[in-house]
Amino acid sequence: MTTATNARVLEHPTRDQIRLEEVLHALADSVRLRIVRDMARESTELSCSYFDLPVTKSTTTHHFRVLRESGVIQQMYRGTAKLNCLRRSDLDALFPGLLDSVLAAADAQDGREGETG
């Protein structure tokens, strides 16, 4: 992993350090998947406050950390805001079609739940 030199620099794995099992673990949680789906839909950098999640602030911080440390997202500070974006190009290069398949499956699942609810 890269080394953080101060509190304003966040550690991220390099592309070569991203592991499939860590990505799958990150995407297996419903809250983290919701975050990733929002990021994919918006296709831009989003602040942490953009997300309206059904968990506490400390739990939200944990979910973002798991996503960042697995290589699914990139986080950076701009002023006082922490911005987040998908590492789509890295994920697509390493695991072609994985992210699109997971997002499509999540959409299909929502459709099935909508039919039964």
Side-chain angles (χ1 to χ4, degrees):
M1 293 213 163
T2 58
T3 303
T5 56
N6 65 49
R8 304 295 287 178
V9 176
L10 300 164
E11 292 185 20
H12 296 83
T14 63
R15 179 184 280 191
D16 292 341
Q17 293 172 322
I18 297 173
R19 306 279 308 158
L20 178 61
E21 58 273 20
E22 292 177 18
V23 170
L24 292 174
H25 168 75
L27 296 174
D29 180 86
S30 62
V31 172
R32 292 192 291 265
L33 183 57
R34 181 173 167 177
I35 292 168
V36 170
R37 290 175 76 188
D38 285 350
M39 287 181 171
R41 184 179 57 250
E42 296 299 327
S43 297
T44 188
E45 297 172 348
L46 300 171
S47 69
C48 294
S49 62
Y50 170 87
F51 301 91
D52 183 25
L53 303 173
V55 295
T56 65
K57 184 175 180 180
S58 62
T59 302
T60 297
T61 299
H62 165 76
H63 286 305
F64 277 101
R65 182 178 53 80
V66 170
L67 289 167
R68 177 175 44 83
E69 290 179 352
S70 68
V72 174
I73 68 169
Q74 176 87 28
Q75 291 185 304
M76 70 291 291
Y77 282 100
R78 294 258 170 78
T80 58
K82 188 186 292 183
L83 298 180
N84 307 277
C85 64
L86 275 180
R87 291 181 65 176
R88 182 177 276 281
S89 63
D90 289 334
L91 295 173
D92 287 346
L94 292 167
F95 317 113
L98 175 67
L99 186 58
D100 289 333
S101 294
V102 168
L103 294 171
D107 289 344
Q109 178 173 283
D110 281 354
R112 287 193 315 273
E113 290 172 356
E115 293 170 4
T116 61

